[in-house]
Amino acid sequence: MPNKEKELKRMLDELKEGKSEEEVQKEFDQLFKKDNWETSSQAKIPEIRKEAVTSLSDEKNPLVLLAEENGAFRALMKTIRMDLNHEDEVSLHMLKETLQRIQILSLHYDKMQKLIFPLLDKYGIDKLSFYKEKEDHVLVSLKQIKVKNDAGINPFLYIDEIKAVLDEIESNIVYENRFFFPVLEDNMDEIALFELYIQERMMGFALIRL
């Protein structure tokens, strides 16, 4: 019967040795659809941690990738704020495009709620429903902005609404970068990080390319 931690360690080593991410992802998907995993004892887990000599590179560290998404969202929001300060045809055209692009934030929040929040709950972080509500409120606001943007309504007519949601997004980014991700970094070993990386990759990335 296969052992989950040993299989993850093997796949992690293969990835480091140059095996393509597509092959590793396919193997991961096939193996983890099965329900015949043998759970190793807690005593064996430190051995696995000790054997993992090198850590995941930043390109494959799922927490770094989420933080990079936040950096990309900040850059996009900076562009939106700059265009909001110039009510001309060029800025208007740019705003229509950037307000559409920022809708991909829904993917980032989907990963937070499906992958990150369960881990935070596991490590004893409470009041996660509060943060989920904050994210859900942002998504509702973005959908309302999308409806207006798709209808061709001039963004300068609902500028306060746009600025408000940008402030909310920034607030959530601060929580993630300064609190959530460091908590996980302190508690997750390399095997857990690799598993999270594969799960993130299967869901996709927002505004960044690997």
Side-chain angles (χ1 to χ4, degrees):
M1 182 178 293
N3 177 279
K4 181 177 180 179
E5 284 81 12
K6 287 182 178 179
E7 290 298 321
L8 282 170
K9 174 64 169 58
R10 176 182 60 76
M11 285 188 279
L12 177 57
D13 289 340
E14 289 177 347
L15 192 62
K16 289 176 181 177
E17 291 169 2
K19 188 173 182 179
S20 74
E21 295 176 357
E22 290 74 16
E23 289 182 272
V24 174
Q25 180 178 332
K26 184 182 296 184
E27 185 177 8
F28 178 92
D29 190 37
Q30 291 174 344
L31 286 173
F32 281 78
K33 283 181 178 177
K34 299 179 180 179
D35 294 321
N36 61 343
W37 291 107
E38 171 190 324
T39 303
S40 68
S41 67
Q42 290 296 316
K44 291 183 179 179
I45 294 178
E47 293 181 11
I48 295 171
R49 290 175 179 162
K50 187 177 180 181
E51 289 170 4
V53 180
T54 58
S55 60
L56 286 173
S57 63
D58 284 352
E59 306 91 67
K60 296 182 178 65
N61 185 312
L63 303 179
V64 171
L65 293 173
L66 287 170
E68 287 182 354
E69 287 187 355
N70 280 338
F73 282 116
R74 274 179 164 162
L76 183 59
M77 291 192 296
K78 181 179 180 180
T79 299
I80 293 174
R81 288 192 174 101
M82 289 175 60
D83 288 329
L84 288 174
N85 291 328
H86 305 283
E87 194 168 348
D88 53 53
E89 287 299 320
V90 175
S91 297
L92 179 61
H93 177 73
M94 291 295 295
L95 274 172
K96 290 180 179 179
E97 290 188 359
T98 51
L99 290 176
Q100 183 62 38
R101 288 186 65 201
I102 203 168
Q103 298 294 327
I104 195 66
L105 182 67
S106 61
L107 172 58
H108 181 87
Y109 283 175
D110 196 30
K111 288 186 291 186
M112 289 296 299
Q113 295 186 12
K114 291 180 179 177
L115 303 179
I116 300 303
F117 284 7
L119 289 171
L120 291 168
D121 182 64
K122 173 183 176 182
Y123 296 126
I125 303 303
D126 56 7
K127 298 182 179 178
L128 290 173
S129 60
F130 167 73
Y131 300 111
K132 182 180 182 301
E133 288 175 5
K134 280 169 60 67
E135 291 185 350
D136 289 343
H137 186 265
V138 167
L139 293 178
V140 170
S141 298
L142 284 178
K143 285 181 180 178
Q144 293 172 345
I145 288 173
K146 184 178 187 304
V147 169
K148 295 177 181 179
N149 193 39
D150 290 347
I153 300 175
N154 189 323
F156 293 100
L157 297 178
Y158 51 98
I159 186 172
D160 290 339
E161 186 178 343
I162 296 172
K163 288 182 177 180
V165 75
L166 295 182
D167 289 342
E168 288 185 76
I169 294 171
E170 175 60 29
S171 174
N172 290 342
I173 287 176
V174 171
Y175 273 111
E176 292 178 18
N177 288 357
R178 297 186 181 179
F179 182 55
F180 292 157
F181 300 156
V183 166
L184 294 180
E185 187 176 20
D186 288 342
N187 285 278
M188 297 177 71
D189 62 20
E190 192 175 43
I191 300 300
L193 284 171
F194 174 64
E195 185 172 0
L196 178 59
Y197 164 73
I198 295 295
Q199 292 171 330
E200 273 188 34
R201 188 169 181 84
M202 292 171 70
M203 293 183 71
F205 297 100
L207 296 183
I208 63 172
R209 293 182 179 179
L210 298 190

